[in-house]
Amino acid sequence: MAQRAIREYDGKAIFSRHWEQYFSGFHYGFKSVLVTSGKELLDKAEEHGFEWLKQEALVAKPDMLFGKRGKNDLVLFKTNKPGDVTLAEAAAWIDEKMSKTTTLLSGQHGTLSHFIIEPFTPHTQEQEYYISATTVGEDDVLYMSAEGGMEVEEGWDEKVNEVTIPINMSDADMEHAVKANIPTDIQAKDKEAFTSFAIQFFKFYRDLNFAYLEINPIVMLDNNEMAILDMVARLDDTAGFMMVDEWAENANFPTAFGMEDQSPEEKAVAEADSKSGASLKLTILNPLGHVWTMVAGGGASVVYADTIADLSEANGGSVSDLANYGEYSGGPTTGETKFYADTLIDLMTRHKDAKGRNKIMIIGGAIANFTDVAKTFTGIIQSFEENVDKMKEHNVQIYVRRGGPNYEKGLKDIKEAADRLGLYIEVYGPETHVTDIVRMALEK
Amino acid sequence: MAALFTRDTQAIFWNNNKSAIQRMLDYDYTISRETPSVAVIVAPTSSNKFEKFFYGPDEIMVPMVRTTAEAAAMFPKADVLLNFASFRTAYDVTMEAIAIEGQFKTVMVTAEGIPERLARGMNQAARDAGVTVIGPATVGGIAPGAFKIANVGGTIENIVNSKLHRAGSCGLVTRSGGLFNELSNIIAINADGIAEGVAIGGDRFVGSVFIDNLLRMESNPDVKYMILLGEVGGTEEYKVIEAVKNGQIKKPIIAWCIGTIAKHFSTGVQFGHAGASANADAETAGAKNIAMAEAGIYVPASFNDLPVTIKEVVAKLTAEGVITEIEEPELKVVPKVRKANEFICTISDDTGEEATYAGYPISAVATP
């Protein structure tokens, strides 16, 4: 739960839905479509209301939460000269881009899958402006510049005016502050309209619970016609319950480009998490690592990961020894705990360690406030019973540390089960420092 | 202002969260408080006038009303609101409480995931009204031997093991609630327990931050040294560094920021809470640990070495006579099995002289 990015298409759809309410006096056409193939684009052009796809010159670009698409040469706006891209050419371009792996200048790579297509908007550099808003510290900040496009990012400090707006500032004071800070080099003919737009933009950003909203560039055409050429938006997803009608179907939070190649195991854990009241998280950092963690609690999972990285380096290893990061907490059922343990044991017993080391399974956790430790350990014990042969084959050594309600029984049960199954195990309670099992395991 | 809570502190508990309230009353009994720490419960949808709880072996009735205003009128000295409303209503409950003039000094908000804009508005309104907000997204805090918020410290056995039943010398501030419990335990093993502790909450925007709590502890004579457990992300630790540098904080601080692992992974992995994401080099756990050490704060080599650092600092303070021996107080033990004074029997036979329950005379079963 936090600030999450939405697609440019969805951001524009939210703009469009509330345009009359927030931006009366300006006009915005919202001619955008989002497609996942060239064929879908061609089909879309046959639908009522989308005739413009056949009539106008088009611009196509990926809509997958990454920026600098121009610099990455991923904006199709010309075949021979700017503004001559036809529907067929756009569809072919999309299919071509989707057919291979794309690597960005940042190094991220993956396969493109979502594209936004819009009409080509002829305009001059003078008509391009920049506007954005976000939260800095405890305050909102509105950024405005007379220069839009890529230019604004070079020379940010000289070109951008900032207005800090505290959470409890009145509308009158906010409007006054914005007016007083309009960039001086905005064209005289646009100044009044830009000021009005900036104030309304801020209210829109605020009322619609955006965490970040940037239009770069916003183009002011004749007759108060606005063109949103490029946009980045993040929503505060915790406000979702208040924004059901306002965000409607546009509050989709896709996975960032290059991150969608999650493993099936990570996906399965994420799916179990979404269906459960408890919290189950798994990120595989290095599938060949020999230290695997099954840690209860968000804070504890961080200190275990920290300690493994610190101590493996100190013991002649490296951070790549750490295979995964994740946590289970919030009172998972026995079944959920078993599933989580099964997943981890399956992953840790796929490859032999290259240096012939044992696999280490850290079953850690702080002192629980109210989770019944014995109950959660039942699921882990069931998983041991099922996977004992694999675990022995890979010399899995288990280190347990936990406290909280019913921990004595939990520790006793897991020790007895491991001993009965012939698995190597060391078990510690609250008298042992929470991360000391990491030291014991790595020094061995 | 010196201490957050005293033995006389009473709370208004918003939401009839029976298990959490019972844990508070068990704590009260254990430390022999004169009055229960929960004065009244606000339950907006209940028509009951009271709720029964155990106080040691006996039962007591805690009054229950429908609005915070009624509760405040009934108990004008109850200056803590324990806001256990959901993330949907927690904001409204806090704002209503702040508006009751002169009533509340502290509002604790447990809900996780209050919309950020509402949380910011709530925190600002509280600051303007001089009310300390603990949270959102927290288990709360404790003044050992005086007042414990809801589930802090876990079971009563763990509370005694972690020496949370009487005041020690440490002021503890963490972000995480789970690690608060763990830190209490570490401090009990390696030192003499805590004098006051607060988990400030895991959301991005929380009411009272590290520096607010540490400055209060600086002025609390029972606190001899402080332990701060920070996290990757944000710049709150730098306010503490500033206060140490300019002499506002003179008591020794032991500190560690968790999340040093994040430096090994460029993007994509969220280690920890919503508030925990570094947007700049200065926000990384490693940079903050270095900056704190440079300012003269005691920073261990790793989280695993924290107990060693605590022992060293406490030994030094003991040698200087700052920390003195604590007399262990008498403890009352909450009985393991408790019976309610009344029970409703639906399987009875009233054909004879005396009604019987499963063949036994009622007088034989119902006697406490």
Side-chain angles (χ1 to χ4, degrees):
Chain A
M1 304 277 266
Q3 306 187 349
R4 296 169 77 183
I6 56 171
R7 292 191 202 280
E8 180 176 349
Y9 173 83
D10 286 314
K12 287 177 174 175
I14 296 174
F15 258 101
S16 169
R17 187 174 306 121
H18 300 274
W19 192 269
E20 279 310 308
Q21 185 190 346
Y22 283 92
F23 301 98
S24 62
F26 296 97
H27 184 253
Y28 171 54
F30 185 47
K31 285 182 180 171
S32 301
V33 294
L34 179 71
V35 300
T36 53
S37 71
K39 179 170 187 312
E40 192 182 344
L41 179 63
L42 296 174
D43 290 348
K44 197 84 195 172
E46 302 304 320
E47 285 180 29
H48 177 64
F50 295 94
E51 294 82 1
W52 57 268
L53 285 168
K54 287 190 273 192
Q55 294 156 355
E56 300 186 38
L58 302 178
V59 177
K61 56 193 175 180
D63 189 0
M64 301 183 68
L65 312 185
F66 61 85
K68 303 209 182 344
R69 289 169 292 191
K71 284 185 180 162
N72 278 295
D73 198 20
L74 288 172
V75 182
L76 175 72
F77 65 100
K78 67 171 181 183
T79 306
N80 297 309
K81 60 177 180 41
D84 66 353
V85 176
T86 65
L87 176 68
E89 284 163 347
W93 182 80
I94 288 168
D95 287 338
E96 191 247 307
K97 291 292 167 199
M98 288 179 69
S99 67
K100 58 184 188 209
T101 299
T102 300
T103 303
L104 305 181
L105 297 172
S106 64
Q108 288 167 285
H109 54 90
T111 309
L112 297 173
S113 61
H114 288 72
F115 296 83
I116 182 169
I117 297 90
E118 302 177 315
F120 179 82
T121 306
H123 64 278
T124 63
Q125 176 65 36
E126 285 71 42
Q127 291 172 308
E128 286 193 357
Y129 298 108
Y130 174 92
I131 191 160
S132 73
T134 190
T135 311
V136 177
E138 293 281 312
D139 302 319
D140 290 305
V141 181
L142 179 69
Y143 300 93
M144 300 174 287
S145 173
E147 289 186 46
M150 294 187 211
E151 283 74 18
V152 72
E153 284 158 25
E154 294 138 18
W156 176 268
D157 291 343
E158 303 88 68
K159 290 175 181 170
V160 176
N161 282 19
E162 295 182 19
V163 190
T164 299
I165 301 159
I167 185 79
N168 56 353
M169 189 183 243
S170 69
D171 273 5
D173 288 349
M174 179 273 288
E175 288 174 20
H176 185 80
V178 175
K179 276 179 197 154
N181 286 286
I182 294 294
T184 48
D185 41 359
I186 284 185
Q187 298 183 76
K189 69 174 180 62
D190 285 342
K191 197 155 254 175
E192 197 179 322
F194 184 88
T195 307
S196 163
F197 183 81
I199 289 167
Q200 294 172 75
F201 174 88
F202 180 77
K203 289 181 182 173
F204 173 74
Y205 151 85
R206 180 188 65 191
D207 296 356
L208 273 290
N209 285 282
F210 283 93
Y212 183 84
L213 185 60
E214 176 189 64
I215 308 179
N216 182 29
I218 177 95
V219 176
M220 299 185 82
L221 300 165
D222 298 336
N223 305 320
N224 283 338
E225 175 86 25
M226 306 296 271
I228 301 174
L229 292 200
D230 195 349
M231 202 191 87
V232 180
R234 288 202 299 271
L235 298 173
D236 167 20
D237 74 343
T238 57
F241 73 94
M242 304 190 297
M243 295 282 116
V244 174
D245 296 334
E246 286 83 354
W247 294 349
E249 73 278 8
N250 300 110
N252 303 306
F253 302 110
T255 313
F257 176 72
M259 292 293 293
E260 69 268 27
D261 43 16
Q262 269 191 329
S263 69
E265 292 77 22
E266 288 167 314
K267 276 187 195 149
V269 169
E271 201 180 310
D273 179 66
S274 68
K275 285 181 191 155
S276 166
S279 176
L280 300 170
K281 303 271 185 303
L282 174 65
T283 305
I284 298 171
L285 301 171
N286 174 16
L288 300 176
H290 76 123
V291 183
W292 292 80
T293 61
M294 176 156 180
V295 178
S301 66
V302 179
V303 299
Y304 275 96
D306 285 355
T307 308
I308 292 165
D310 288 351
L311 296 188
S312 54
E313 283 177 350
N315 284 288
S318 78
V319 67
S320 65
D321 292 340
L322 175 59
N324 73 313
Y325 170 77
E327 57 139 339
Y328 67 107
S329 62
T333 63
T334 301
E336 286 165 346
T337 312
K338 175 174 182 295
F339 160 74
Y340 193 80
D342 282 345
T343 307
L344 286 179
I345 293 170
D346 173 29
L347 287 164
M348 78 177 74
T349 56
R350 285 188 190 173
H351 312 277
K352 287 274 183 197
D353 185 68
K355 295 180 192 164
R357 291 170 297 188
N358 298 328
K359 294 291 165 75
I360 295 170
M361 183 179 193
I362 301 276
I363 300 178
I367 300 169
N369 281 302
F370 39 80
T371 303
D372 186 323
V373 173
K375 218 175 100 188
T376 57
F377 277 9
T378 309
I380 304 178
I381 291 168
Q382 289 172 0
S383 179
F384 285 174
E385 285 165 350
E386 227 164 81
N387 297 299
V388 59
D389 295 339
K390 275 198 284 185
M391 293 172 82
K392 281 182 182 165
E393 192 195 324
H394 289 263
N395 300 324
V396 175
Q397 305 206 324
I398 308 156
Y399 290 81
V400 182
R401 194 279 186 183
R402 189 80 162 114
N406 223 358
Y407 79 91
E408 291 98 333
K409 182 173 183 317
L411 296 182
K412 190 169 143 277
D413 289 352
I414 202 165
K415 173 95 172 86
E416 277 176 9
D419 288 347
R420 172 166 49 82
L421 296 166
L423 293 167
Y424 181 91
I425 193 165
E426 293 189 28
V427 170
Y428 301 92
E431 70 290 343
T432 300
H433 183 57
V434 54
T435 50
D436 218 29
I437 53 171
V438 172
R439 183 189 57 76
M440 297 177 200
L442 293 179
E443 281 181 357
K444 213 165 163 284
Chain B
M1 180 56 202
L4 186 58
F5 305 122
T6 70
R7 275 179 82 86
D8 299 321
T9 300
Q10 280 198 300
I12 295 173
F13 204 111
W14 203 101
N15 213 356
N16 187 10
N17 186 328
K18 287 183 201 161
S19 66
I21 296 169
Q22 185 60 61
R23 283 185 168 182
M24 287 181 74
L25 297 176
D26 285 348
Y27 184 75
D28 296 347
Y29 179 78
T30 306
I31 64 167
S32 309
R33 258 182 71 117
E34 285 73 29
T35 50
S37 55
V38 179
V40 51
I41 299 163
V42 180
T45 56
S46 173
S47 53
N48 292 348
K49 293 277 181 276
F50 62 86
E51 183 73 45
K52 283 186 172 183
F53 290 95
F54 287 107
Y55 199 73
D58 303 323
E59 275 187 298
I60 59 166
M61 292 190 290
V62 177
M64 195 150 75
V65 294
R66 286 183 164 213
T67 66
T68 311
E70 281 176 78
M74 236 168 150
F75 291 91
K77 285 188 180 157
D79 60 4
V80 176
L81 182 77
L82 302 181
N83 179 353
F84 271 65
S86 78
F87 64 91
R88 291 167 189 271
T89 48
Y91 168 81
D92 295 324
V93 170
T94 303
M95 294 304 275
E96 191 198 341
I98 292 170
I100 303 173
E101 228 167 282
Q103 178 80 26
F104 294 108
K105 281 197 334 203
T106 309
V107 176
M108 174 268 192
V109 186
T110 190
E112 181 175 348
I114 295 176
E116 292 184 347
R117 197 160 284 284
L118 295 188
R120 286 163 59 203
M122 172 178 96
N123 297 341
Q124 184 60 47
R127 270 194 286 275
D128 293 346
V131 174
T132 301
V133 169
I134 301 178
T138 179
V139 291
I142 187 167
F147 182 88
K148 171 181 112 84
I149 292 177
N151 293 312
V152 172
T155 60
I156 204 81
E157 293 82 13
N158 187 62
I159 283 171
V160 176
N161 285 340
S162 300
K163 296 182 184 156
L164 288 172
H165 58 288
R166 52 101 183 116
S169 321
C170 177
L172 172 64
V173 192
T174 69
R175 194 175 255 286
S176 152
L179 287 177
F180 181 89
N181 225 0
E182 190 61 46
L183 265 281
S184 302
N185 177 54
I186 292 171
I187 296 164
I189 292 173
N190 300 286
D192 65 359
I194 68 174
E196 187 180 298
V198 173
I200 65 167
D203 275 1
R204 181 165 174 210
F205 297 101
V206 292
S208 72
V209 291
F210 294 135
I211 186 69
D212 303 325
N213 287 290
L214 291 175
L215 286 175
R216 187 188 61 250
M217 289 169 181
E218 175 73 17
S219 66
N220 179 348
D222 295 336
V223 174
K224 310 298 184 195
Y225 69 104
M226 281 89 91
I227 294 181
L228 164 68
L229 189 70
E231 230 172 75
V232 54
T235 55
E236 290 302 330
E237 289 83 356
Y238 289 97
K239 294 183 190 164
V240 178
I241 291 171
E242 198 48 47
V244 171
K245 281 185 180 163
N246 68 25
Q248 266 187 296
I249 295 180
K250 293 192 179 66
K251 292 177 184 173
I253 302 178
I254 301 165
W256 179 253
C257 274
I258 67 169
T260 51
I261 179 81
K263 70 168 181 276
H264 298 288
F265 300 92
S266 57
T267 50
V269 190
Q270 165 90 19
F271 291 96
H273 293 112
S277 182
N279 296 313
D281 278 350
E283 295 186 21
T284 62
K288 290 199 269 196
N289 284 330
I290 291 170
M292 290 194 293
E294 282 171 358
I297 293 172
Y298 296 92
V299 179
S302 79
F303 181 82
N304 209 48
D305 289 341
L306 185 59
V308 181
T309 309
I310 295 174
K311 271 190 194 158
E312 282 170 9
V313 172
V314 169
K316 183 166 167 278
L317 292 174
T318 308
E320 289 168 0
V322 177
I323 293 177
T324 50
E325 187 84 359
I326 290 173
E327 205 178 309
E328 294 296 334
E330 288 270 319
L331 283 186
K332 287 199 213 159
V333 178
V334 175
K336 285 236 184 288
V337 181
R338 293 184 283 200
K339 270 203 277 183
N341 288 339
E342 287 171 25
F343 76 101
I344 296 164
C345 170
T346 54
I347 328 163
S348 68
D349 175 358
D350 57 1
T351 54
E353 275 290 295
E354 187 183 351
T356 59
Y357 170 78
Y360 295 92
I362 284 291
S363 58
V365 195
T367 318

